């Protein structure tokens, strides 16, 4: 399986399994998906910035990707800590300040 096809599969999975992200104005994008190492990096943006339950969403994504995809063994979910949520700065989950959701809230 190529990097691109695993990333595409995960993107499709995210839309189907995590519609709440889009329903609440959030965005998600798969930044990395390496079928050889099993490493996946997902980035959340938009309404996820500063959301009080984004850490729960991130943990659910991590757990479910490892469970649902045999090739996935390690998942990092990045969540914007705060800042502008406009489409120009966080379009498609890109831009803004990013932190790993397990970092302390005063990381930035």
């Amino acid at each position: 399986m190529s990097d691109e096809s695993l990333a595409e599969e995960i993107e499709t999975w995210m839309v189907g399994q995590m519609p709440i992200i889009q329903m609440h104005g959030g965005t998600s994008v798969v930044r990395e998906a390496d079928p050889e190492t099993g490493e996946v990096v997902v980035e959340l943006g938009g309404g996820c910035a500063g959301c009080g339950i984004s850490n729960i969403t991130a943990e659910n994504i991590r757990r479910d990707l490892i469970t649902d995809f045999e090739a996935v063994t390690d998942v990092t979910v990045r969540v914007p800590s705060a800042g502008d949520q406009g489409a120009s700065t966080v379009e498609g989950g890109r831009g803004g300040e990013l932190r790993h959701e397990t970092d302390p809230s005063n990381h930035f």
Side-chain angles (χ1 to χ4, degrees), residues 23-69:
M23 289 171 53
H24 289 179
T27 59
S28 63
V29 65
V30 177
R31 288 289 178 211
E32 298 175 34
D34 188 334
E36 290 183 28
T37 66
E39 295 177 47
V40 172
V41 176
V42 174
E43 196 171 289
L44 302 179
C48 295
C51 175
I53 63 165
S54 61
N55 61 330
I56 295 168
T57 302
E59 186 56 40
N60 289 340
I61 291 168
R62 179 182 300 110
R63 182 196 63 230
D64 291 352
L65 284 177
I66 290 171
T67 300
D68 292 354
F69 290 87

Side-chain angles (χ1 to χ4, degrees), residues 64-103:
D64 291 352
L65 284 177
I66 290 171
T67 300
D68 292 354
F69 290 87
E70 188 175 315
V72 177
T73 58
D74 183 36
V75 178
T76 300
V77 180
R78 297 179 182 155
V79 183
S81 58
D84 189 12
Q85 297 178 25
S88 64
T89 59
V90 194
E91 177 271 322
R94 295 181 284 276
E97 290 182 290
L98 296 176
R99 65 176 177 85
H100 294 281
E101 54 80 34
T102 55
D103 288 345

